[in-house]
Amino acid sequence: LTLLFLVMAALAATSGIGLQQSLAVTRNIIDAQVQDKLAGADKLLQTYLSDRLGPLTLAGDGVLQGGGKPLDGKEALIDEFATDMNVAATLFAKDGSDFVRVLTSIQDENGQRVVGTKLDPAGPAYAAVSNGQTYLGEASILGSAYMTGYTPAYDSAGQLIGVYFVGMPMQTVNQIYDGGVTSVIRLGGALLAAVLIITLILSAFISRSITKPIVQVTDAAKQIAQGRFDVALNVRSKDEVGQLATAFQQTIDQLVNYQGYIDEISDALAHI
């Protein structure tokens, strides 16, 4: 029982550390997979809008055109892409130093599209796209947390005219993570249960191998105490218990010899 308790305590500590590390690895893997998906979706959004709208151009501050035509009434295009890719999608137009949403699948609590809202100038995404860099990471959009991907949009002359955006609500990411956590816990629980069962069986076997010779020695001692010396110990183990049984068997043999001497002396005294 002591051995089993120690093994269980060690397993519990090891499992706790392993679970913590597994959850951290799971989170990193899921975040990496989501970012990879968003990076791929971002590139597809560029290709998709270019094919459907034609080359993007900036006709004026905040006025973005596709193939020389206004983007009015093109919401169905961004919705179709967002539905097919299972992401939120937005096209920003550069308006002075700001980036304004002109096409988006994101809606507010009233079900209205959030066109006309601006990219947060204090956020990390704004700093990245302003420097011509892609941003992948968490961002807050109108008070909601998203895993996002922002990529600068350029016209044929290489001028920055807007931003492509794809994102996934952190609630969805967390649901994926929770599913991964559940799988890890189930797998870890199954492995822990298997190890505990094996440990219990081994502990019982080891305990029996230790106690069985001791029981034999104890029974032999009781028989000797009752005056019975015809006792044989069949203990084959080579450990300390086996050595004890061997020494006890030698003691029994000596007692048998002494009993013979006593019988001879008794006969001699009776003869005298």
Side-chain angles (χ1 to χ4, degrees):
L1 290 177
T2 302
L3 176 62
L4 181 60
F5 174 78
L6 292 175
V7 171
M8 290 179 62
L11 282 175
T14 304
S15 299
I17 296 173
L19 180 61
Q20 183 178 9
Q21 293 179 345
S22 296
L23 295 182
V25 171
T26 300
R27 184 72 198 198
N28 291 335
I29 291 175
I30 291 175
D31 287 346
Q33 289 178 339
V34 171
Q35 290 184 7
D36 288 343
K37 177 181 178 178
L38 293 179
D42 205 350
K43 293 179 180 178
L44 287 175
L45 178 62
Q46 300 175 44
T47 303
Y48 174 83
L49 292 180
S50 178
D51 291 342
R52 296 298 184 92
L53 299 176
L56 294 178
T57 56
L58 190 64
D61 288 344
V63 180
L64 202 61
Q65 296 182 345
K69 298 179 181 180
L71 301 182
D72 298 337
K74 302 297 183 180
E75 291 81 5
L77 291 178
I78 204 77
D79 288 344
E80 179 183 2
F81 177 85
T83 301
D84 291 343
M85 297 300 298
N86 194 27
V87 296
T90 296
L91 178 63
F92 291 84
K94 192 173 189 306
D95 185 4
S97 60
D98 294 321
F99 296 97
V100 181
R101 291 178 176 87
V102 292
L103 279 181
T104 183
S105 64
I106 300 176
Q107 300 179 359
D108 60 18
E109 64 275 6
N110 298 320
Q112 301 296 320
R113 295 179 189 274
V114 293
V115 293
T117 56
K118 299 178 181 180
L119 179 62
D120 183 8
Y126 180 92
V129 295
S130 296
N131 292 323
Q133 300 174 352
T134 297
Y135 174 79
L136 286 173
E138 292 188 36
S140 177
I141 301 176
L142 305 179
S144 298
Y146 279 75
M147 183 68 76
T148 63
Y150 293 85
T151 301
Y154 299 96
D155 59 14
S156 57
Q159 297 296 317
L160 179 63
I161 60 174
V163 178
Y164 299 101
F165 161 84
V166 290
M168 183 179 296
M170 287 303 300
Q171 182 178 1
T172 302
V173 177
N174 291 333
Q175 289 175 352
I176 298 174
Y177 172 71
D178 291 341
V181 169
T182 301
S183 298
V184 170
I185 292 177
R186 286 178 178 175
L187 178 60
L191 291 175
L192 182 60
V195 172
L196 287 177
I197 292 174
I198 294 173
T199 302
L200 179 60
I201 295 174
L202 291 176
S203 297
F205 176 78
I206 295 173
S207 176
R208 181 176 176 81
S209 66
I210 293 175
T211 58
K212 185 177 179 180
I214 296 177
V215 171
Q216 293 181 14
V217 172
T218 303
D219 291 340
K222 291 179 180 179
Q223 294 182 44
I224 292 173
Q226 296 172 0
R228 297 172 54 187
F229 300 116
D230 54 340
V231 179
L233 293 175
N234 297 318
V235 178
R236 296 182 175 86
S237 61
K238 302 298 183 182
D239 56 10
E240 290 81 358
V241 177
Q243 296 174 11
L244 173 63
T246 299
F248 201 81
Q249 183 64 57
Q250 293 173 354
T251 301
I252 294 173
D253 294 339
Q254 290 295 331
L255 288 175
V256 171
N257 293 332
Y258 293 154
Q259 183 65 38
Y261 298 151
I262 292 172
D263 290 341
E264 291 178 3
I265 295 173
S266 179
D267 289 342
L269 290 176
H271 179 70
I272 294 173

